[in-house]
Amino acid sequence: YATKPSGWSKMYAYVYTGDGATAKNNAAWPGVEMTAMAAADSCAKAGTYKYEVPDLGEGTYRVIFSNGSGSQMPGASQPGFEFSGKVSWDGSSASLTAITCTATPPVIKTADITFSATADLKTGETLYAVGDWGQGKGKTWTRAGGVKLAKNGNAYTGTTTMTKGQAITARLIKVDANGKTTWDEIGDVKATADKTKTVDLKWTNAVENTVDITINAAADLKTGETLYAVGDWGQGKGKTWNRAGGVKLARYGNAYTGTTKVGKGNAITFRLIKVDANGKTTWDSAKDRKSKADKTKALGVSWTSGKVNEDGTIPDDSAISISGKGVADGKLSIQKGNLAELYVIGTQDATPSDAVWWSDGAAVAVSGTGTVYGVQTGTAKVNVKVGNQTATITITVK
């Protein structure tokens, strides 16, 4: 290490051993230009110059510093400074100072990532970890750019060297003897190459990426009828909103219950249907029930209510509501001069004799049994009261 003297534009180190014919040097005069240190290491401060001396064999090592154009230390015809080990020159003294230090270890810029996977392979199948861990354009998410995993004890392992700090996104694929590729369905496994380490993968075919959704439903079934929950919770193309893709509910205590596996995070939308012995299907009149498969859970529903209890308990049906053909979300549209039949749901009696009906607008007239008549264009609210319960519907006459 050396400090550049004032007035010198460059720093050269001429290192040699021996004299005359036995002399060896690091380069022809003026030697090798020293490197200016932009940042301090454990042996010198920033702004000094550094030179790593090559192996010139056995002998006494000497060094002459110069600017490469006439100025040197020691002076002309003088032997160089004798040294061994790590030394420092302050830029003016006629001697070197021995220094003791531990050089800063080089920064490791890569990390070895080992993929360790558990999977059942058939004869002729090969397992790979594929994905994106900075392999380069065109090499991500391909077998060629992935890591081939070999049997190692109870697992399949393979290692790749990647840039330290790089994000890792990986999945497993199986490739059979004919080159057919099968992807696992568990989803991507994510990690970071913060250090040399092992990333565990498991071939699970979505078992760990699904949740169990149990539907508990209350309904009155006639002899020969079966209850189903049908809708969309990711069963696949062509299987939504039909009995074949639905959940058959079996009697259990005071409710009907059935369970299905749903992809974690999927939205759930469903309704109840009754299917009689002849295959005739009757849909409930309540609006779609909605939830999300955020975890394994039970949903409590009722034939007469659109409410969903996320704790699996059956909703309280003591509250009444108005239903009828064409009624949706508390609204109904009819033509002027037409009739519509309304009825009360949410009570033990589908058409309770003590129900009191009335209209609050001139657009609609309503009878004591729930028959409404479109008197004139406009909007009115029709109400019904049974005991202490009241329900309202908005009717638009066109």
Side-chain angles (χ1 to χ4, degrees):
Y1 295 87
T3 299
K4 186 174 66 174
S6 177
W8 285 21
S9 60
K10 294 184 177 181
M11 279 286 290
Y12 287 86
Y14 179 75
V15 178
Y16 65 98
T17 63
D19 295 304
T22 63
K24 294 181 181 179
N25 55 41
N26 62 337
W29 179 262
V32 177
E33 185 174 358
M34 300 179 71
T35 302
M37 298 176 62
D41 66 14
S42 61
C43 295
K45 62 184 179 180
T48 57
Y49 285 73
K50 179 180 179 180
Y51 177 61
E52 294 185 7
V53 179
D55 183 3
L56 300 179
E58 295 184 357
T60 300
Y61 280 67
R62 293 183 173 85
V63 60
I64 298 173
F65 299 105
S66 74
N67 66 355
S69 57
S71 297
Q72 67 179 69
M73 187 68 180
S77 302
Q78 299 294 317
F81 296 125
E82 185 177 329
F83 72 94
S84 63
K86 293 184 177 70
V87 293
S88 176
W89 181 52
D90 63 9
S92 59
S93 299
S95 62
L96 304 180
T97 302
I99 57 176
T100 301
C101 62
T102 301
T104 303
V107 177
I108 299 176
K109 296 183 178 180
T110 60
D112 288 338
I113 302 299
T114 298
F115 294 103
S116 179
T118 55
D120 293 324
L121 299 187
K122 299 176 182 178
T123 302
E125 285 186 327
T126 306
L127 193 65
Y128 292 81
V130 299
D132 184 3
W133 44 86
Q135 308 96 303
K137 186 177 181 180
K139 293 183 179 180
T140 61
W141 295 104
T142 65
R143 177 176 44 158
V147 179
K148 184 178 179 180
L149 307 182
K151 188 70 174 178
N152 184 4
N154 294 324
Y156 292 85
T157 64
T159 301
T160 184
T161 299
M162 56 182 291
T163 302
K164 198 170 185 180
Q166 177 77 32
I168 304 169
T169 306
R171 289 176 78 174
L172 294 173
I173 61 170
K174 294 177 182 178
V175 181
D176 68 13
N178 297 318
K180 180 183 177 181
T181 298
T182 304
W183 291 70
D184 75 349
E185 298 175 9
I186 187 63
D188 302 336
V189 173
K190 297 181 182 295
T192 302
D194 51 347
K195 59 183 178 180
T196 292
K197 64 182 181 182
T198 298
V199 174
D200 293 321
L201 302 170
K202 183 179 180 181
W203 187 279
T204 55
N205 266 345
V207 171
E208 294 180 2
N209 204 34
T210 61
V211 294
D212 288 338
I213 301 297
T214 298
I215 298 172
N216 298 326
D220 293 324
L221 299 188
K222 298 176 182 178
T223 301
E225 286 186 326
T226 306
L227 191 65
Y228 292 83
V230 300
D232 184 4
W233 42 81
Q235 310 95 303
K237 187 176 180 181
K239 294 184 179 180
T240 61
W241 294 103
N242 59 47
R243 179 176 42 159
V247 181
K248 184 178 180 180
L249 307 181
R251 187 74 182 183
Y252 186 79
N254 295 323
Y256 292 85
T257 300
T259 301
T260 184
K261 288 190 179 296
V262 180
K264 194 170 184 179
N266 271 12
I268 304 170
T269 305
F270 68 96
R271 291 175 76 176
L272 299 173
I273 62 171
K274 296 177 182 178
V275 181
D276 68 14
N278 297 316
K280 180 183 178 182
T281 299
T282 303
W283 290 71
D284 67 8
S285 58
K287 61 184 180 181
D288 298 343
R289 285 79 164 175
K290 296 181 182 295
S291 185
K292 188 174 183 180
D294 51 350
K295 60 183 178 180
T296 292
K297 61 184 176 182
L299 306 176
V301 296
S302 169
W303 181 268
T304 57
S305 172
K307 184 178 180 182
V308 176
N309 285 348
E310 296 279 335
D311 62 359
T313 59
I314 303 298
D316 181 8
D317 284 345
S318 61
I320 64 172
S321 60
I322 299 173
S323 190
K325 185 176 181 180
V327 174
D329 297 328
K331 298 178 181 179
L332 173 66
S333 294
I334 62 174
Q335 296 293 324
K336 179 181 176 181
N338 283 4
L339 297 172
E341 298 292 335
L342 301 180
Y343 56 91
V344 181
I345 60 174
T347 66
Q348 293 299 315
D349 189 350
T351 56
S353 59
D354 59 346
V356 178
W357 296 84
W358 73 94
S359 172
D360 67 358
V364 174
V366 60
S367 72
T369 59
T371 301
V372 297
Y373 175 72
V375 178
Q376 61 186 43
T377 57
T379 300
K381 291 186 181 297
V382 169
N383 310 275
V384 66
K385 184 175 183 181
V386 180
N388 295 322
Q389 302 292 330
T390 302
T392 301
I393 187 174
T394 300
I395 299 180
T396 300
V397 179
K398 299 181 179 179

